[in-house]
Amino acid sequence: MSDTGQDLGYDMKLEVVTLPVSDVDRAKSFYQSLGWRLDADFDLGEVRAVQFTPPHSNCSISFGKGLTTAAPGSFQRLELVVDDIEAARKDLTNRGVEVSEPFHRDGGNLQPGVDPQRRSYLTYASFSDPDGNGWLLQEVTTRLPGRTWQG
């Protein structure tokens, strides 16, 4: 047991991931075009922070000026879970985003198309923001046992 008296440790929730971008206004326009909720746009002179939240997500993204030293476009495999990969792709492409065709994991290999059995966790599509930060859509319809918090 930890000092908190809980086997799992103290409750912590991933709230915000900060992305490195080169042009704050261009990134803001891109993420707005996805239909994500604009939570904040604070300009404090030397620091500017913009925050967006994907629909129904408990985690947001932020980007801006003076927030991170990471190279623009250096974040890869930011995963967005969706319950229908084809509907999610259609929504994004209708919004002008270039999204890969679906692909799936077959053993250790990636194959074109959706998983033939539509098993959770195995079908993907990808896209990037204007700086090249890479996003991965992952289709999950049923969570594996132990993958949800109880209580």
Side-chain angles (χ1 to χ4, degrees):
M1 262 209 209
S2 70
D3 290 343
T4 64
Q6 298 179 28
D7 290 337
L8 295 176
Y10 194 80
D11 279 357
M12 296 181 196
K13 296 164 185 72
L14 182 61
E15 184 81 16
V16 180
V17 174
T18 302
L19 301 181
V21 302
S22 60
D23 182 322
V24 178
D25 290 320
R26 180 180 69 176
K28 180 179 177 183
S29 178
F30 175 78
Y31 288 103
Q32 275 182 313
S33 79
L34 299 182
W36 294 12
R37 183 185 69 214
L38 175 63
D39 299 323
D41 186 348
F42 299 113
D43 191 344
L44 307 172
E46 292 299 311
V47 174
R48 181 174 176 199
V50 178
Q51 182 172 312
F52 280 93
T53 302
H56 303 284
S57 178
N58 289 323
C59 186
S60 302
I61 61 161
S62 69
F63 51 85
K65 180 176 77 168
L67 300 181
T68 180
T69 59
S74 62
F75 282 25
Q76 298 301 310
R77 201 177 165 100
L78 296 155
E79 292 189 31
L80 294 166
V81 170
V82 299
D83 61 7
D84 183 333
I85 198 88
E86 292 165 328
R89 275 191 77 256
K90 183 177 181 180
D91 178 66
L92 289 171
T93 57
N94 286 345
R95 293 171 182 278
V97 178
E98 285 189 36
V99 184
S100 76
E101 291 295 323
F103 55 95
H104 69 279
R105 188 165 298 286
D106 183 11
N109 301 312
L110 295 176
Q111 301 293 330
V114 298
D115 177 67
Q117 298 167 14
R118 292 308 280 260
R119 295 171 291 177
S120 283
Y121 300 101
L122 298 180
T123 300
Y124 309 91
S126 61
F127 68 95
S128 297
D129 73 9
D131 282 290
N133 292 304
W135 290 91
L136 190 65
L137 301 175
Q138 181 183 41
E139 187 174 77
V140 177
T141 56
T142 303
R143 295 272 180 189
L144 291 171
R147 298 296 298 270
T148 59
W149 296 108
Q150 303 300 316

